[in-house]
Amino acid sequence: MSAEHDEVVIRYGLRDEERPGAAKIYYEAFGGKLGVILGPPETAIPILAEGFTDGPILVAFYRGEAAGLACLRFNGEDFLSIRASTLARKFGWIESLTRLIMLRLIDQSPSEGGLLLDSIAVDGRFRSLGIGRRLIEAVFDLARNRRLTQVALQVVDTNPRAQSLYERLGFTAVRTYRVPFMRSIMGFSAYTIMTKPVRQTPLPNHTGDRPRRSDGRTG
Ligand SMILES: CC(C)(COP(=O)(O)OP(=O)(O)OC[C@H]1O[C@@H](n2cnc3c(N)ncnc32)[C@H](O)[C@@H]1OP(=O)(O)O)[C@@H](O)C(=O)NCCC(=O)NCCS
């Protein structure tokens, strides 16, 4: 079953009051690998809520409730910025350095002129309604409006369902990296880079009463 078109609204940027809910969705989706770095949910969720920037995050609302996120990097803009001092408050300076290094190890960067869809997560209650697909479409709207040339993402070998979703949406696998040492740390032993070019056709006007458009521009 798919959500009706108008049941899903996508907006660019998190409001302050939405940060804890967004952090919960993010942790629920990626806790398997993030837990190693940011600790259990009671520690990690506040760190994430503080670490989300005012920048490139698309938030999907289903019937008014925050239901999903697409977290992006492009043109030097980043959805997440976790300070060393925040980690140090929770884990002490020495341990937080190790955790920061691990965070950097799994960090990905966008190519020149490209957009990196770093992560996409839909609240478990609202999966398979088409919200993930709608978020990805909004990512392409944004990329087109910013004149970016391609969208790239990474998918791990333990997530074949996500990979098949991306394939259905026109992404192509360009390279697979084997990282067997990651299996015992984060549960996956290979990841694949997938890309899809952005077609620069003019978009129909997005109008409506949303405070910020999903392409990140105001007005
Ligand atoms: C991947 C994800 C964002 C898809 O969001 P969604 O709103 O359920 O996506 P849609 O409804 O548009 O499409 C559903 C398709 O997503 C794929 N999918 C991947 N993981 C899924 C999951 N755990 N549950 C349901 N669908 C999943 C399937 O191909 C599914 O198709 P199906 O319903 O015919 O089986 C969501 O499942 C999720 O948050 N998963 C956990 C985090 C994650 O793995 N993110 C991707 C990292 S690369």
Side-chain angles (χ1 to χ4, degrees):
M1 196 191 68
S2 274
E4 296 293 324
H5 191 81
D6 59 1
E7 288 178 319
V8 180
V9 170
I10 295 181
R11 198 222 296 140
Y12 182 97
L14 275 176
R15 293 184 177 140
D16 279 347
E17 66 275 18
E18 291 160 358
R19 288 167 174 274
K24 194 160 168 277
I25 293 174
Y26 193 86
Y27 190 85
E28 200 180 72
F30 302 114
K33 56 181 182 181
L34 267 186
V36 179
I37 303 173
L38 299 182
E42 60 277 16
T43 312
I45 289 173
I47 295 176
L48 286 167
E50 188 182 322
F52 285 138
T53 65
D54 293 331
I57 301 184
L58 293 176
V59 192
F61 295 86
Y62 175 62
R63 296 181 176 169
E65 192 173 346
L69 310 168
C71 301
L72 315 174
R73 294 198 168 110
F74 59 90
N75 288 349
E77 294 185 45
D78 198 327
F79 74 99
L80 190 67
S81 170
I82 294 180
R83 294 205 193 102
S85 56
T86 307
L87 287 185
R89 260 197 335 262
K90 307 276 181 188
F91 304 109
W93 276 104
I94 294 177
E95 198 182 319
S96 66
L97 268 182
T98 322
R99 289 173 188 263
L100 264 184
I101 291 167
M102 283 170 73
L103 204 56
R104 294 286 167 269
L105 276 179
I106 59 166
D107 255 6
Q108 319 155 54
S109 303
S111 62
E112 185 68 34
L115 179 150
L116 177 76
L117 172 52
D118 180 274
S119 33
I120 178 166
V122 171
D123 185 319
R125 292 171 299 157
F126 305 124
R127 287 188 191 154
S128 290
L129 290 173
I131 297 171
R133 182 192 185 99
R134 290 280 297 276
L135 275 167
I136 292 173
E137 286 167 1
V139 169
F140 277 88
D141 286 351
L142 185 147
R144 209 171 281 120
N145 278 308
R146 301 293 180 99
R147 313 301 291 177
L148 299 167
T149 52
Q150 78 163 14
V151 174
L153 56 83
Q154 276 185 16
V155 61
V156 293
D157 56 350
T158 47
N159 206 348
R161 292 186 71 194
Q163 179 153 358
S164 71
L165 172 67
Y166 302 142
E167 279 161 2
R168 283 208 300 274
L169 295 177
F171 282 85
T172 314
V174 289
R175 190 160 175 190
T176 297
Y177 294 87
R178 315 243 159 251
V179 283
F181 57 94
M182 287 299 243
R183 180 177 288 284
S184 57
I185 310 172
M186 293 198 175
F188 60 90
S189 51
Y191 63 90
T192 298
I193 310 278
M194 303 185 81
T195 62
K196 182 178 172 184
V198 178
R199 277 196 306 127
Q200 294 295 348
T201 47
L203 284 174
N205 271 343
H206 282 259
T207 51
D209 56 1
R210 279 175 260 157
R212 288 169 91 188
R213 297 173 1 176
S214 65
D215 63 9
R217 292 162 199 260
T218 49

